[in-house]
Amino acid sequence: MFCSGKRLLCLALAWVLLAHLHSQVEASSFDCCLRYTKSIIPSKAIVGFTEQLADEACDINAVIFHTKKKLAVCADPKQGWVKRAVRLLRYGSLKDKQSTER
């Protein structure tokens, strides 16, 4: 049994399409926070953050903290400790701000 060139091309394209769709499903479920951490992350352990907005792709608003240990931690943006950590990351400490104003 010998496959024609067109049949082989169609099979290859179908495989590429399936692989692409599978990767999109994994990426969309991995990139969105589905629930919040119950732990308070020490601000010294946080090196950055990303804001997730609830839209077509993600179900909840969240702040994703990036830690020194290369972890991504989903936190509730309404929590006080989350607001303080975001403010600290955005603007630096009040001590640094006061010393630059003088």
Side-chain angles (χ1 to χ4, degrees):
M1 292 191 258
F2 191 32
C3 292
S4 69
K6 287 182 182 180
R7 182 177 230 175
L8 189 59
L9 180 62
C10 285
L11 286 173
L13 287 173
W15 184 83
V16 169
L17 179 62
L18 284 173
H20 175 71
L21 290 174
H22 181 69
S23 69
Q24 291 297 325
V25 168
E26 284 184 358
S28 65
S29 65
F30 179 76
D31 291 339
C32 290
C33 293
L34 302 177
R35 60 182 178 270
Y36 305 124
T37 184
K38 294 178 181 167
S39 304
I40 295 175
I41 309 299
S43 57
K44 292 180 181 181
I46 302 170
V47 295
F49 73 97
T50 306
E51 291 181 300
Q52 169 185 300
L53 300 176
D55 58 12
E56 308 87 41
C58 299
D59 293 335
I60 61 173
N61 289 327
V63 173
I64 306 167
F65 288 118
H66 308 285
T67 68
K68 290 179 181 178
K69 293 185 179 182
K70 308 282 187 215
L71 297 174
V73 181
C74 300
D76 185 351
K78 295 178 184 175
Q79 294 288 319
W81 73 269
V82 176
K83 291 177 183 180
R84 284 188 296 276
V86 167
R87 193 169 42 245
L88 181 65
L89 289 164
R90 276 194 178 138
Y91 306 114
S93 70
L94 290 176
K95 189 176 189 179
D96 292 340
K97 189 175 180 182
Q98 289 172 351
S99 66
T100 58
E101 290 177 352
R102 292 181 184 175

